Amino acid sequence: MRQSQLFTKTRKDAPKDEVSKNAELLIRAGYIHKEMAGVYSFLPLGLRVLNNIVEIIREEMNALGGQEISMTALQNKEVWEKSGRWSDDVLDVWFKTELKNKTEIGLGTTHEEPLTAIMQGFIKSYRDLPKYAYQFQTKFRNETRAKSGIMRAREFLMKDLYSFSRTQEQHDEFYQKAKESYIRIFKTVGLGEKTFFTYASGGSFSKYSHEFQTECFAGEDLVYVDEKSKVAINKEVLNEEVLKDVGFSRNDLVEKKTVEVGNIFNLGTRFSEAFGLNFLDENGEKRPVIMGSYGIGPGRLMGTIVEVFADDKGLVWPKNVAPFKLHLISLAGEDEKVRGEADALYEKLAIAGIESLYDDRDARAGEKFADADLIGIPWRAVISAKTIEKGIIELKNRATGEVSEITTDDLIKKLK
Amino acid sequence: MRQSQLFTKTRKDAPKDEVSKNAELLIRAGYIHKEMAGVYSFLPLGLRVLNNIVEIIREEMNALGGQEISMTALQNKEVWEKSGRWSDDVLDVWFKTELKNKTEIGLGTTHEEPLTAIMQGFIKSYRDLPKYAYQFQTKFRNETRAKSGIMRAREFLMKDLYSFSRTQEQHDEFYQKAKESYIRIFKTVGLGEKTFFTYASGGSFSKYSHEFQTECFAGEDLVYVDEKSKVAINKEVLNEEVLKDVGFSRNDLVEKKTVEVGNIFNLGTRFSEAFGLNFLDENGEKRPVIMGSYGIGPGRLMGTIVEVFADDKGLVWPKNVAPFKLHLISLAGEDEKVRGEADALYEKLAIAGIESLYDDRDARAGEKFADADLIGIPWRAVISAKTIEKGIIELKNRATGEVSEITTDDLIKKLK
C-alpha cells in the first residue's frame, strides 16, 4: 500500500490520559484510536496486525477440528440464571441494558451458557460426541480499572473454543491437543521463548486450570517459573501441595511479572448439569457432557507483543504478525528516476506476492526513517540516488538495526 | 466437510415464537440459533454463508480504495452530543448502559460520529483528501418490533463505508462509483434481477438519498418501479416533483413490496461542521470536508436471499453465497464399496479445491434427500450402488430440480 494513500499518520504524542505503553505507541503510530478508557478502535495498520493474529489462531482451531460460529453480544437473562451467573455479585463485569419493553439483557463476557443452550439442540447420543466449536467474537467486560491499553479492554475480540466430550479420557486427550496447539500459536506470533505453561487455580471440577503466561514488565500477574522446563506456577496457587503435584522445588523457581495470554479450562459438568445437556451412552444411560473452554484474546496478544518487543524508537513486529512484510522507502525528492525505480520495485514486490508499505510521500528522509522506526515493520528497504548508482537496495532489520545491501532478486527471495 | 462431523442437525420445527420465513428455515436447517427476538447466533453453515457475502462486499470496497478498520460498539456520549444524536428522542434505537463509575455510554447504531472524530486527527489539508474507510462491524439497534428474522435484527453485522472529499465534484464522482459497486455486489450474490436503484428521502444536504430495494414478499417497504430502467421511487417520496426530477410517468410505475438491502447517502457537511472536521484548500482557506455514507447489512442480505429463493422444501442458495458448492450424498448403507467410492470422490473434490458437504451419515436415503433440500446447496450429487454400476454420478440442481448423470471429471470441471 502506498503510504500517501493511508489515511492515518504518525503523531508526536498519545492522548494525555493514556498511561499504557502499548496503547501509547499504537496510537502514536496510527494503529488504534482511543474511544474511551479501555475502548479502542482498530485503524488500517492495527486491523492488519489483529487479522494476522486471528488467522494464525484460526488455522490451529480448524486443525483441532473446531467448527467456527459467531454467537451474539446481547444475552438472555433466563439463560444465565440457569448457571447462576446472571447476578452482578457472581460475575462482576457485566454491562446490562434493556429492550424497549424493559426486559433486562446483558452484554456477553464469555459464552459457556449460550453455547451449552445451543448444544442442547444437537447433542443427544454418544455418537454426537466429541464436538468442538469456536468463535472470534467481541466480548464486553465492565472493568473498574482499564489502564493497560489493549491488554485489558472493556470491549475486545476473543477467540473462545469450547469442547464437548463423552468421557474424562476423551476430554483429557483433547485438552492435551489444545495445549500443544496453544504452544504453537504463541511460538508462531513470536512469543514462544517468553511464554510459560502455568498451573493456576481450577474450579469445582479440576484441581488446576492452565494459563499461558508471557513475561512482560506491564503484566498484572506474578508466576514462578522453572526455567529448565519452561513451566510455571501462578503465585495465586503456589504452596507445598502444588509444588509436589508439579514436581518442582521452590529453590529452582524464578519470580516473573507476566501477562495471561491464554487459558484452558476443564469445566467438567458444571454447565451441562445446570442446563441438562445430557447424552445417552452406549448402554442407553443418560450422562452429562464433559466440557472444556479455551481462550485467547487476539487484542491482548497484540498488546503483549508490543510491550515485549518495542524499543525507544517505536514498535517492533515479529514477522508473522507485522502489518506488512517490508517498509519500502523512496528518497526521491524531485528525482524522477529514483521515483521510477521505487515505483517499479513496489510493483515487482506486489507481483511476487510480497505486501509492502511504500513510503512514496513527499517528505524529508529523517521524517521517513523516524516514521518507519515507529511503525515497526520488520524490514526497511531504502531506494535513493545513491543506492541506484550502486545497483543495490539498502536493507535494515528493525529489531537488530543491522544494515545490509541487497539486490532486488535477493530481497524478493528473502521475503517470500 | 463430513456431515457426520458437523455439530448441527436439521430439525422439524423452528421455535414457536418465530414468525419470519427466513429465520424459520435457517433455524430448521441449522444455520442460526435464536437467542431472543431479533438476536441470532450464526452456526457453522450460517457463518459460511455470511462470510461469503462479506468477502464479496470486501473485494468491492477494496477496489473502491476503501481502507478497512474496526470501530467499537461502546460509544462515548460526548462524541454523540456534538452532532445532537445522543438523545433517545433523536435516535430512538439506542441501547444505553453505563461504566462502573456511572458514566453513561451507548452501543453504536451507526458510526458517522466516531469516525468523523477519528478523521480529525488525520485530515488537515486538501492533499489528505479524498479518503475512504469502511468496516464490517456489529451494530446494535433497540428495535421495538423484531419480527423479520435476520432481515431486521437488534444485533447485526453491518458494512459501513464513509467517504471524505474536498469538493462536491469529488464526492459525486465517488458516489457514482459506489453506486456501480453496489449494483455489482447485488448481482454477484444473486439478487441483481430483483434489486432496484431507488430514490428515497434525502436530508439537510441532499434532495435524495438512494436505496437498493429488493423485491420480496416479506419486505417492509413499498416502491414504485419503472420496469424498463429498473429504477424505482420509494413510496415515502413519490410526488409530482420527484417524478419530474427522475423523468418517470406515474403510469409506467409498478408498485412492489421490497426490502432495503443497501443505501448510499450524501451527508454533505452535516458531521464535519458539527465536529470541526476542516481542511486547508489550495488557497490556504479552511473548508469543511464533504462526507458520504454507504451501508449494506450482510445478515439482512442473507435473509433476503432466503426469502427470495426458498421454496416449500427449504433453502435455495445462489452459487456465490452457498455454504458449500456441492452436497455429496453417499447411499452406502452397509456397502463398503459404495462408501469407498464416495470417500474417494470427496477427497478428489477437496484436492481440486471444491468444498463439499459430504453426507456420510448412517441414515436413510429419504432423510438425506430431505435434509439436502432443506440445507439448499446448489448441487446435490448422489453416489449409490446403482450409480457406481452405471459409472456415473447422479447430479441434481437444487433450484430447478433438474437431474442429470455426469462423470467425475465433468463434475469437477463444472464446479471449478
Side-chain angles (χ1 to χ4, degrees):
Chain A
M1 156 164 233
R2 282 175 184 266
Q3 205 165 336
S4 60
Q5 297 299 311
L6 183 68
F7 80 71
T8 58
K9 296 173 181 174
T10 61
R11 45 189 276 190
K12 285 258 180 325
D13 302 297
K16 285 201 185 64
D17 63 345
E18 185 55 68
V19 294
S20 93
K21 175 174 146 190
N22 69 78
E24 193 205 318
L25 283 170
L26 290 167
I27 291 169
R28 283 182 48 215
Y31 282 66
I32 63 173
H33 175 84
K34 183 175 192 166
E35 303 293 345
M36 64 185 97
V39 182
Y40 299 90
S41 287
F42 283 73
L43 305 183
L45 294 176
L47 187 58
R48 289 179 75 100
V49 174
L50 192 69
N51 283 342
N52 288 340
I53 293 171
V54 163
E55 277 310 313
I56 289 165
I57 299 172
R58 177 175 282 136
E59 203 168 297
E60 288 286 349
M61 294 304 104
N62 290 340
L64 281 173
Q67 295 176 40
E68 190 169 354
I69 62 175
S70 180
M71 289 181 278
T72 62
L74 299 182
Q75 291 293 312
N76 191 331
K77 177 180 175 177
E78 287 170 26
V79 170
W80 288 78
E81 282 177 337
K82 289 193 186 174
S83 66
R85 293 208 292 178
W86 177 254
S87 163
D88 293 337
D89 298 334
V90 178
L91 203 56
D92 66 353
V93 289
W94 275 113
F95 282 107
K96 302 264 174 83
T97 182
E98 58 182 33
L99 301 178
K100 293 277 187 198
N101 67 8
K102 305 292 175 197
T103 303
E104 200 186 17
I105 58 176
L107 299 185
T109 62
T110 177
H111 282 80
E112 282 84 1
E113 279 81 350
L115 186 56
T116 306
I118 287 172
M119 286 298 179
Q120 280 185 284
F122 302 120
I123 295 175
K124 306 290 178 195
S125 146
Y126 69 93
R127 290 189 200 85
D128 299 325
L129 296 169
K131 286 291 186 298
Y132 316 108
Y134 75 96
Q135 61 177 352
F136 290 94
Q137 191 267 352
T138 303
K139 302 279 186 272
F140 297 87
R141 293 190 187 166
N142 204 344
E143 303 278 358
T144 308
R145 288 161 39 95
K147 298 191 168 180
S148 299
I150 61 170
M151 290 205 303
R152 183 180 290 281
R154 290 180 163 128
E155 171 176 351
F156 59 96
L157 192 67
M158 179 92 169
K159 185 285 297 175
D160 37 338
L161 165 72
Y162 303 89
S163 66
F164 300 83
S165 303
R166 286 152 71 170
T167 60
Q168 191 60 41
E169 194 185 6
Q170 194 175 63
H171 170 82
D172 291 342
E173 193 187 318
F174 182 77
Y175 194 88
Q176 183 60 29
K177 274 194 208 162
K179 171 188 162 182
E180 287 158 14
S181 171
Y182 269 44
I183 290 171
R184 280 194 299 274
I185 289 166
F186 298 120
K187 191 173 165 194
T188 305
V189 301
L191 293 174
E193 290 298 307
K194 288 180 175 282
T195 302
F196 311 106
F197 181 73
T198 302
Y199 286 77
S201 61
S204 343
F205 285 90
S206 193
K207 198 162 179 187
Y208 305 111
S209 71
H210 296 103
E211 299 168 342
F212 293 83
Q213 293 275 3
T214 302
E215 186 173 359
C216 174
F217 185 72
E220 295 176 357
D221 286 2
L222 275 180
V223 305
Y224 290 84
V225 181
D226 175 65
E227 298 262 28
K228 212 166 51 202
S229 64
K230 294 260 178 191
V231 169
I233 300 171
N234 194 309
K235 189 180 181 182
E236 286 171 10
V237 298
L238 185 71
N239 60 34
E240 290 309 318
E241 190 189 343
V242 176
L243 285 169
K244 202 177 141 200
D245 284 353
V246 181
F248 288 167
S249 155
R250 199 185 274 259
N251 296 332
D252 296 340
L253 302 182
V254 183
E255 185 185 276
K256 293 189 190 276
K257 272 189 91 174
T258 52
V259 184
E260 184 190 337
V261 291
N263 57 51
I264 59 179
F265 224 98
N266 175 14
L267 301 172
T269 56
R270 157 107 173 74
F271 296 97
S272 50
E273 286 191 5
F275 283 81
L277 176 62
N278 300 307
F279 68 98
L280 293 179
D281 70 12
E282 295 87 332
N283 306 316
E285 273 170 49
K286 199 158 85 172
R287 288 166 48 191
V289 172
I290 294 167
M291 291 173 53
S293 72
Y294 313 80
I296 297 181
R300 174 178 287 192
L301 201 47
M302 178 171 161
T304 304
I305 291 167
V306 171
E307 296 276 348
V308 167
F309 295 106
D311 62 21
D312 57 348
K313 296 199 185 87
L315 299 165
V316 179
W317 296 111
K319 69 176 184 337
N320 292 334
V321 303
F324 292 93
K325 288 210 183 308
L326 179 74
H327 203 155
L328 172 61
I329 294 185
S330 147
L331 300 182
E334 305 290 302
D335 190 334
E336 284 303 321
K337 190 179 163 203
V338 176
R339 179 169 300 275
E341 291 274 342
D343 282 358
L345 178 57
Y346 173 60
E347 294 300 331
K348 202 165 175 179
L349 288 163
I351 289 164
I354 298 162
E355 288 190 300
S356 65
L357 180 62
Y358 173 26
D359 192 348
D360 61 339
R361 296 174 305 164
D362 184 17
R364 288 175 303 105
E367 190 185 333
K368 291 190 173 196
F369 292 156
D371 275 0
D373 281 342
L374 179 56
I375 290 169
I377 292 168
W379 296 100
R380 185 192 82 184
V382 174
I383 300 240
S384 64
K386 208 174 70 186
T387 69
I388 291 173
E389 196 182 328
K390 291 176 78 173
I392 52 90
I393 296 156
E394 184 194 288
L395 189 67
K396 186 177 166 189
N397 181 311
R398 174 64 184 88
T400 65
E402 204 185 331
V403 178
S404 58
E405 299 186 339
I406 193 168
T407 63
T408 303
D409 288 349
D410 285 346
L411 178 67
I412 288 172
K413 237 177 274 169
K414 191 183 187 87
L415 297 180
K416 254 203 140 161
Chain B
M1 156 164 231
R2 282 176 183 266
Q3 204 166 336
S4 60
Q5 295 300 309
L6 183 68
F7 80 72
T8 59
K9 296 173 181 175
T10 60
R11 45 189 274 188
K12 285 257 179 327
D13 302 295
K16 285 201 182 66
D17 63 345
E18 185 55 68
V19 293
S20 94
K21 175 173 146 190
N22 69 78
E24 192 205 318
L25 282 170
L26 290 167
I27 292 169
R28 284 182 46 215
Y31 282 65
I32 62 173
H33 176 84
K34 184 175 193 167
E35 302 293 345
M36 64 186 97
V39 181
Y40 299 91
S41 287
F42 282 73
L43 305 183
L45 294 176
L47 187 59
R48 288 179 76 100
V49 174
L50 192 69
N51 283 342
N52 287 341
I53 293 172
V54 163
E55 277 310 315
I56 289 166
I57 299 173
R58 177 175 283 136
E59 205 170 296
E60 288 286 349
M61 294 303 105
N62 290 341
L64 281 173
Q67 294 174 42
E68 190 168 355
I69 62 175
S70 180
M71 288 183 278
T72 61
L74 298 182
Q75 292 293 311
N76 191 331
K77 176 180 176 178
E78 286 170 27
V79 170
W80 288 78
E81 282 177 338
K82 288 192 185 173
S83 66
R85 293 208 290 178
W86 178 254
S87 163
D88 293 335
D89 298 334
V90 178
L91 203 57
D92 65 355
V93 289
W94 275 113
F95 282 106
K96 302 264 174 83
T97 182
E98 58 181 34
L99 302 178
K100 293 277 187 197
N101 67 9
K102 303 293 175 198
T103 302
E104 200 187 17
I105 58 177
L107 299 186
T109 62
T110 177
H111 282 81
E112 283 83 0
E113 279 82 350
L115 185 57
T116 306
I118 286 173
M119 286 298 180
Q120 281 186 285
F122 302 120
I123 295 175
K124 306 291 178 193
S125 146
Y126 69 92
R127 289 188 200 87
D128 299 325
L129 296 168
K131 286 291 186 298
Y132 316 108
Y134 75 95
Q135 60 177 352
F136 290 94
Q137 190 267 351
T138 303
K139 303 279 186 269
F140 296 86
R141 292 190 187 165
N142 204 343
E143 303 277 359
T144 308
R145 288 162 38 96
K147 299 191 168 180
S148 300
I150 61 170
M151 289 206 303
R152 183 179 290 281
R154 290 182 164 127
E155 171 177 352
F156 59 97
L157 192 66
M158 178 93 169
K159 185 285 298 174
D160 38 337
L161 165 72
Y162 303 89
S163 66
F164 299 84
S165 303
R166 285 152 72 170
T167 60
Q168 191 60 43
E169 195 185 3
Q170 194 175 63
H171 170 80
D172 291 344
E173 194 186 318
F174 182 77
Y175 194 87
Q176 182 61 28
K177 272 193 211 165
K179 173 188 162 181
E180 288 158 14
S181 170
Y182 270 44
I183 290 170
R184 280 193 300 274
I185 289 166
F186 298 119
K187 192 173 163 192
T188 306
V189 300
L191 293 175
E193 291 297 307
K194 289 182 175 280
T195 302
F196 311 107
F197 182 73
T198 303
Y199 286 78
S201 62
S204 344
F205 285 89
S206 193
K207 200 164 177 184
Y208 305 110
S209 71
H210 296 103
E211 298 168 343
F212 292 83
Q213 293 275 4
T214 302
E215 187 174 359
C216 174
F217 185 71
E220 295 176 357
D221 286 1
L222 275 180
V223 305
Y224 290 85
V225 181
D226 176 65
E227 298 260 27
K228 214 167 52 205
S229 64
K230 293 261 178 191
V231 170
I233 300 172
N234 193 309
K235 189 180 181 183
E236 286 173 10
V237 299
L238 185 71
N239 61 33
E240 290 308 320
E241 191 189 345
V242 177
L243 285 168
K244 203 176 141 200
D245 284 353
V246 181
F248 287 169
S249 154
R250 199 186 274 257
N251 297 332
D252 296 340
L253 302 182
V254 182
E255 185 184 277
K256 292 187 190 280
K257 272 189 91 175
T258 52
V259 184
E260 183 190 339
V261 290
N263 58 49
I264 60 179
F265 224 98
N266 175 13
L267 300 171
T269 56
R270 157 108 173 73
F271 295 96
S272 50
E273 287 191 6
F275 283 81
L277 176 61
N278 300 306
F279 68 98
L280 292 179
D281 70 11
E282 295 86 332
N283 306 314
E285 273 171 47
K286 199 158 86 173
R287 288 165 50 191
V289 172
I290 295 167
M291 289 173 54
S293 71
Y294 313 81
I296 298 182
R300 174 178 288 193
L301 200 48
M302 179 171 160
T304 304
I305 291 167
V306 172
E307 296 277 348
V308 167
F309 296 106
D311 61 21
D312 57 348
K313 296 199 186 87
L315 299 164
V316 180
W317 296 111
K319 70 175 183 338
N320 292 333
V321 303
F324 291 93
K325 289 209 184 306
L326 179 75
H327 203 155
L328 173 61
I329 294 185
S330 146
L331 300 182
E334 305 289 301
D335 190 334
E336 283 304 320
K337 190 178 165 204
V338 175
R339 179 170 299 277
E341 290 274 341
D343 283 357
L345 178 57
Y346 173 61
E347 294 300 332
K348 202 165 176 179
L349 288 164
I351 288 163
I354 298 162
E355 288 189 301
S356 66
L357 181 62
Y358 172 27
D359 192 347
D360 60 339
R361 296 174 304 164
D362 184 17
R364 288 175 302 107
E367 189 185 333
K368 290 190 176 198
F369 292 157
D371 276 359
D373 281 342
L374 179 57
I375 290 170
I377 292 168
W379 296 100
R380 185 192 82 185
V382 174
I383 300 238
S384 64
K386 207 174 69 187
T387 69
I388 292 173
E389 196 183 325
K390 292 175 77 174
I392 51 91
I393 297 156
E394 183 195 287
L395 190 67
K396 185 175 167 190
N397 181 313
R398 174 64 183 88
T400 64
E402 204 185 331
V403 179
S404 57
E405 298 186 340
I406 192 168
T407 63
T408 303
D409 288 349
D410 285 346
L411 178 68
I412 288 173
K413 238 178 273 169
K414 190 182 188 88
L415 297 180
K416 254 205 141 163

